[in-house]
Amino acid sequence: MLPILLTFAIFLPWGLSFPVIPPTLQDDLNFFEDYFHRFFFTTEESQKYSLEDQLRFLQHFFRLEETGWLDEPTKALIRQPRCGVPDIADYSFFPGSPKIERNHVTYSIYNYPVGMKYERVEKIILKAVKIWSNVTPLKFQRVYTERSDIEFAFLRGGHGDGFPFDGKGNTLAHAFAPNPYYQGVVHFDRDEEWSYSHEGINLFLVAVHEIGHALGLGHSQDPNSIMFPTYQYQDPKYFRLGDDDIKGIQTLYYSGNKSQRVS
C-alpha cells in the first residue's frame, strides 16, 4: 500500500503527525471504493485486500498499468459510462453457465425512451438481436404479450429489482442471466440521452451488450469485445462482434460442436 501512503504524504502539513487527505482525493477514493464494491468484490470481501491490491486488481482487469495508485488513467476509466452488471474476467458466463434452453427466443418492448420514435427503437432492437442470431442457432421473434423470454424496458432510479439507476451518466443499463422460471429483462436507464448516432448514448451498442448478458455472457477483459464493461462509441454501420464475443456465445450455445459454428 506504499504508493497510496506516498500520495497522502505529499499533502502532509508541517507540524501534524497524521496525513490530511484533500477533499478531491478523498472523493476519488470514495468513488473508487464504491465502484469496486459494486462491480468486483463486496465490502466484506474487500476487507481481505489492501487498497493497493484492489487497485492493482482493477488495473489488471482493464489492462491498465498496474501501479497500485489511483492514477489519472484509473480515475478516468472508473468515471466512464458503463454497464451495471458486475465484472468477472475473460469472456465469461454467469455462475452455472445458464442459457436460454430453446433456440426460439421471444422478446417484447415494455416502453420507449424519451425523444426517440418507437419505430426507430423497434428497428434498433431488431438489429441488435440479429447480431447474436447471426452467430448462433438462436432465432428471435418480437411478441406483444406480457410474457416473453426477454423484455426491454426504460426505467428510472429504483425500479424494483434491487439495482437502482443513478441518473444521467455512469451506469447505463443492466440485464440478468437467463432463468427458466422468470422472464428475462434488459433495463435501460431512462434518464440517459439515448440516440441512434454518436450523440448521447447509442442505444444499439448498449442493447447488443445487454442482450449478451440476457443470453448468458458475462463481461470480457478484451477491449475489442462488445462485452467489455465500459461504453465506447463505434459506428453501428460497421459494427461486428469481436472474436472474443463470438467464441463466448458459441461455446455457450453450440455445446462444443465446432462443426455447427459460424463466423
Side-chain angles (χ1 to χ4, degrees), residues 111-213:
N111 63 355
Y112 301 86
V114 176
M116 291 186 71
K117 294 182 179 180
Y118 77 90
E119 296 97 335
R120 185 175 291 279
V121 176
E122 293 277 353
K123 290 180 180 179
I124 289 172
I125 298 299
L126 175 60
K127 181 178 179 180
V129 297
K130 283 184 176 180
I131 291 294
W132 295 108
S133 66
N134 287 341
V135 295
T136 66
L138 302 176
K139 302 300 178 185
F140 292 84
Q141 179 186 2
R142 167 69 158 105
V143 296
Y144 298 85
T145 60
E146 293 184 0
R147 184 70 182 172
S148 61
D149 294 309
I150 303 173
E151 179 185 75
F152 297 90
F154 295 82
L155 305 169
R156 286 191 172 99
H159 47 276
D161 62 7
F163 297 90
F165 285 127
D166 53 6
K168 188 175 181 180
N170 204 24
T171 302
L172 305 177
H174 56 232
F176 297 89
N179 188 299
Y181 305 107
Y182 302 102
Q183 181 178 42
V185 293
V186 172
H187 291 161
F188 303 96
D189 189 341
R190 192 173 176 85
D191 286 327
E192 300 295 340
E193 183 185 348
W194 296 105
S195 78
Y196 54 90
S197 67
H198 66 281
E199 298 178 352
I201 302 297
N202 187 276
L203 178 59
F204 167 76
L205 298 174
V206 178
V208 174
H209 178 104
E210 300 303 334
I211 292 167
H213 286 319

Side-chain angles (χ1 to χ4, degrees), residues 22-198:
T24 54
L25 179 56
Q26 186 62 62
D27 288 344
D28 288 336
L29 287 170
N30 291 341
F31 190 91
F32 167 76
E33 289 179 354
D34 178 66
Y35 187 99
F36 195 82
H37 297 157
R38 279 191 295 152
F39 300 121
F40 290 96
F41 297 162
T42 65
T43 302
E44 293 74 17
E45 292 170 335
S46 298
Q47 292 175 355
K48 303 175 184 177
Y49 305 95
S50 68
L51 181 57
E52 180 182 353
D53 289 338
Q54 294 176 36
L55 282 160
R56 288 185 184 279
F57 184 95
L58 179 139
Q59 290 163 341
H60 176 80
F61 180 89
F62 286 108
R63 300 183 180 181
L64 300 175
E65 183 181 0
E66 295 177 39
T67 63
W69 294 54
L70 188 53
D71 51 25
E72 292 303 320
T74 304
K75 288 193 289 186
L77 183 137
I78 64 177
R79 297 282 183 177
Q80 289 180 6
R82 61 158 292 151
C83 171
V85 175
D87 296 323
I88 313 176
D90 305 319
Y91 85 71
S92 57
F93 310 129
F94 290 97
S97 299
K99 65 178 183 178
I100 296 177
E101 294 298 335
R102 57 187 180 280
N103 291 341
H104 179 248
V105 181
T106 60
Y107 71 92
S108 58
I109 303 176
Y110 175 75
N111 63 355
Y112 301 86
V114 176
M116 291 186 71
K117 294 182 179 180
Y118 77 90
E119 296 97 335
R120 185 175 291 279
V121 176
E122 293 277 353
K123 290 180 180 179
I124 289 172
I125 298 299
L126 175 60
K127 181 178 179 180
V129 297
K130 283 184 176 180
I131 291 294
W132 295 108
S133 66
N134 287 341
V135 295
T136 66
L138 302 176
K139 302 300 178 185
F140 292 84
Q141 179 186 2
R142 167 69 158 105
V143 296
Y144 298 85
T145 60
E146 293 184 0
R147 184 70 182 172
S148 61
D149 294 309
I150 303 173
E151 179 185 75
F152 297 90
F154 295 82
L155 305 169
R156 286 191 172 99
H159 47 276
D161 62 7
F163 297 90
F165 285 127
D166 53 6
K168 188 175 181 180
N170 204 24
T171 302
L172 305 177
H174 56 232
F176 297 89
N179 188 299
Y181 305 107
Y182 302 102
Q183 181 178 42
V185 293
V186 172
H187 291 161
F188 303 96
D189 189 341
R190 192 173 176 85
D191 286 327
E192 300 295 340
E193 183 185 348
W194 296 105
S195 78
Y196 54 90
S197 67
H198 66 281

